[in-house]
Amino acid sequence: MTTPLRRVLMPVIAILVPFFLIMTAIRLLFTPVFFQVEYRSAAFPADPYGFTLEDRLHWSRVSLDYLLNDSPISYLADQRLPDGSPLYNERELSHMLDVKTLVQKMIVAWWVLLALLVGAVVWAWRARWLSYLLQALSDGGKLTLGVVALILVGVVLSFRDLFTYFHEIFFTGDSWLFNYSDTLIRLFPLNLWQDGFLLMGGFTILGAIVLIFLNSRWGVARRVSAR
């Protein structure tokens, strides 16, 4: 690899690492396991409007399936509670459609980043510049730690404000605001998202540490083999 190309490519890879690690952590949370653990937590608030643990497990799974599959909004609009009322009202359905669009775009972006990083690893291995790549990944890991630290500080200081800023960035107007009696709040109260942000931070930090460790071990191995 020529020096000018390396000077451009390595910082780009380092900048991509935080996005990849954060999106990986988010994707890990979009699984039924996360909701099962949350709902069974002793500290998790009960639903004052009557959803049982089984209800929450069932309807959260239905909602998650919708976000990850290719079904239209009718997939959710056709869902009915035991009393015959719709699972979500029109405002909630509109928001779920917006969330699905965001989630689907994130998943596509995650796959693209994964392909780029895997391609870079293969290229680096074959072209014998793996040490440069590992250093870039390590730098990306350090950058990730800084980004996640800022997010976690926001969670600790005022998660409600952080949650509000997030929605103001990714959603239009007040389309994401609901009544406490609405299904979305009953299934996914603020406590769940606060725990989700903390877990996302934990998973992301772990990934960053792994990248930093790999570069460190590679450097040790190179020095030992050079003796």
Side-chain angles (χ1 to χ4, degrees):
M1 176 182 287
T2 62
T3 300
L5 178 59
R6 185 174 72 243
R7 287 176 177 173
V8 172
L9 187 57
M10 295 304 102
V12 170
I13 291 176
I15 292 172
L16 291 179
V17 167
F19 294 99
F20 176 74
L21 291 178
I22 290 173
M23 285 191 285
T24 300
I26 293 173
R27 183 63 186 89
L28 290 174
L29 292 179
F30 272 79
T31 62
V33 174
F34 169 62
F35 297 103
Q36 290 173 10
V37 173
E38 277 294 295
Y39 291 146
R40 288 186 167 91
S41 170
F44 198 81
D47 174 32
Y49 298 95
F51 273 162
T52 64
L53 170 62
E54 290 70 24
D55 291 332
R56 277 174 157 171
L57 290 173
H58 172 71
W59 294 120
S60 65
R61 180 60 183 265
V62 169
S63 303
L64 181 62
D65 287 344
Y66 165 73
L67 295 179
L68 300 178
N69 65 29
D70 297 325
S71 300
I73 192 61
S74 58
Y75 181 90
L76 286 182
D78 293 340
Q79 301 292 332
R80 290 291 183 271
L81 296 171
D83 63 2
S85 61
L87 174 64
Y88 292 122
N89 60 39
E90 290 300 321
R91 186 180 179 87
E92 291 173 299
L93 290 172
S94 177
H95 183 63
M96 287 297 286
L97 181 59
D98 291 341
V99 173
K100 178 169 185 155
T101 300
L102 180 63
V103 169
Q104 297 280 356
K105 288 180 178 179
M106 185 208 73
I107 292 175
V108 171
W110 182 84
W111 279 110
V112 170
L113 287 179
L114 178 61
L116 289 174
L117 292 175
V118 170
V121 170
V122 173
W123 182 18
W125 181 269
R126 294 176 64 88
R128 299 179 183 277
W129 50 273
L130 189 59
S131 59
Y132 293 114
L133 177 63
L134 288 176
Q135 182 61 55
L137 294 176
S138 177
D139 291 341
K142 294 173 184 176
L143 178 61
T144 301
L145 293 179
V147 172
V148 173
L150 290 176
I151 294 174
L152 293 180
V153 167
V155 172
V156 173
L157 293 180
S158 178
F159 177 73
R160 188 177 296 274
D161 288 340
L162 178 65
F163 194 68
T164 299
Y165 295 148
F166 171 84
H167 281 80
E168 289 177 344
I169 291 172
F170 290 104
F171 301 104
T172 303
D174 60 355
S175 62
W176 52 276
L177 295 174
F178 304 98
N179 297 319
Y180 287 110
S181 58
D182 287 338
T183 301
L184 275 177
I185 301 300
R186 295 168 62 190
L187 289 178
F188 313 114
L190 196 64
N191 308 65
L192 181 141
W193 298 116
Q194 183 170 5
D195 291 345
F197 267 73
L198 291 173
L199 282 173
M200 180 202 71
F203 289 145
T204 305
I205 288 172
L206 179 61
I209 291 174
V210 168
L211 293 179
I212 296 170
F213 176 77
L214 286 176
N215 181 59
S216 175
R217 293 300 298 171
W218 175 264
V220 171
R222 295 266 295 182
R223 288 193 293 272
V224 170
S225 64
R227 292 176 182 175

